[in-house]
Amino acid sequence: MTQQSRPVYLKLRDQIAAAIIEGVYAEGEMLPSVRAFAAEQGANPLTVAKAYQQFQADGLVEVQRGVGMYVVRGAAEKLRRSEREQFLAREWPELKVRMKRLGIDPAELLAHS
């Protein structure tokens, strides 16, 4: 599934996951409210709520009723592991085939970084 064909809530989920991994939303810190994040992203609040619910179901955030959602301890590492496994299983094989087709040597990529 290409990035363009992915549902919006999954794109938002990926964006939030990246922010947690990068420490923008640190462990123990509150996520923006559904409405605030929806307004910031120009998204429907129900779509944002669906992305947030996925984090809750995965045990990456906890809800404090009447207060908000907080990133749980260990969420960044759990997300990093999961994203890494997904990259190696789904994205890397496609990249490897494309690199071979284009005649790109992995060492060449390291020289450009």
Side-chain angles (χ1 to χ4, degrees):
M1 181 182 310
T2 66
Q3 186 66 15
Q4 282 82 9
S5 65
R6 294 186 78 208
V8 173
Y9 86 94
L10 288 177
K11 291 178 187 177
L12 292 171
R13 185 221 165 270
D14 290 348
Q15 189 175 348
I16 298 163
I20 291 172
I21 291 169
E22 294 166 2
V24 174
Y25 304 129
E27 296 175 2
E29 189 175 307
M30 188 169 73
L31 291 176
S33 71
V34 167
R35 287 184 185 181
F37 192 75
E40 177 184 311
Q41 298 301 316
N44 183 315
L46 293 175
T47 305
V48 172
K50 189 171 182 178
Y52 276 23
Q53 286 169 351
Q54 185 67 51
F55 283 108
Q56 188 178 359
D58 293 343
L60 299 168
V61 298
E62 63 183 13
V63 176
Q64 291 186 10
R65 289 221 183 270
V67 180
M69 284 195 169
Y70 289 81
V71 179
V72 300
R73 179 182 220 88
E77 187 53 38
K78 186 175 179 180
L79 277 167
R80 188 176 290 108
R81 258 194 327 271
S82 171
E83 297 282 320
R84 187 175 195 274
E85 288 170 12
Q86 182 177 326
F87 173 80
L88 291 172
R90 294 187 184 147
E91 296 174 51
W92 176 243
E94 291 176 26
L95 287 172
K96 200 163 59 171
V97 167
R98 187 159 186 219
M99 286 170 59
K100 185 174 182 176
R101 184 178 337 126
L102 297 173
I104 298 172
D105 184 312
E108 187 180 337
L109 290 177
L110 293 174
H112 287 289
S113 57

